[in-house]
Amino acid sequence: MLKVSVIMGSTSDLDVMSAAFDTLEQFGVEYEKRVISAHRAPDLLAEFAKGAEGRGVGAIIAGAGGAAHLAGVTAAFTTLPVIGVPINGKAFGGMDALLATVQMPSGIPVATVAVNGAKNAALLAIEMLALGEPALAAKLKDFRREQTEKIKNTTI
Ligand code: RP5
């Protein structure tokens, strides 16, 4: 099965991005994880993104805050699907990262999830991988069913 690559701009993003690890583990999806900054280590990012396909990666999740160019620059170096997670930094409530991640130029797409939406980023990556993996698709359907049941059985 293809794996998922999870990258983030700083170790300060780990708290938010760990939700992606949890979800990928829940579904038994293999992943690699790395701190890479588009600004502080652009050469490393280029090398990492260019090599992703060869490492058996099927989707890349990139989380960053502030002037969040990590997802966009990654997408510039690969045709693998890239999912951006804007991270809520100290200023602007994450609006800065949201706009920097979502407002990609035509021709280089990034699928942007909600601010701090690392869990949904992982689910989206799993949905992509599941297109070629019926067993994984079945797990997603079970997950949705259980989620619905939980809501229906919730009383307050
Ligand atoms: C971004 O700047 C990172 O993704 C992080 O969200 C933010 C702050 O980074 P640190 O100053 O905590 O390393 O590049």
Side-chain angles (χ1 to χ4, degrees):
M1 199 200 301
L2 293 169
K3 62 185 167 195
V4 174
S5 185
V6 184
I7 58 175
M8 62 202 82
S10 168
T11 51
S12 64
D13 301 323
L14 254 175
D15 267 2
V16 169
M17 294 307 290
S18 63
F21 306 149
D22 295 345
T23 302
L24 292 165
E25 283 164 26
Q26 184 187 338
F27 281 85
V29 170
E30 194 191 335
Y31 63 92
E32 58 177 27
K33 53 182 176 181
R34 197 79 203 258
V35 172
I36 305 183
S37 167
H39 304 118
R40 295 159 173 160
D43 293 345
L44 176 64
L45 177 58
E47 188 191 330
F48 184 86
K50 286 179 192 171
E53 214 171 320
R55 292 194 305 276
V57 170
I60 300 174
I61 296 172
H69 298 127
L70 186 63
V73 174
T74 301
F77 284 115
T78 180
T79 51
L80 291 172
V82 176
I83 302 165
V85 183
I87 292 183
N88 185 0
K90 295 181 193 87
F92 307 112
M95 185 62 86
D96 45 357
L98 173 63
L99 295 179
T101 306
V102 79
Q103 288 289 47
M104 286 297 293
S106 173
I108 306 290
V110 166
T112 305
V113 295
V115 172
N116 289 356
K119 177 178 172 177
N120 270 0
L123 286 170
L124 194 54
I126 293 165
E127 287 178 5
M128 289 167 181
L129 265 52
L131 288 172
E133 298 282 344
L136 193 56
K139 278 189 195 174
L140 277 166
K141 288 188 170 48
D142 286 346
F143 167 80
R144 290 286 185 97
R145 228 183 338 263
E146 284 162 23
Q147 182 169 252
T148 302
E149 282 309 310
K150 244 182 242 169
I151 295 291
K152 283 183 176 171
N153 295 326
T154 299
T155 51
I156 52 170

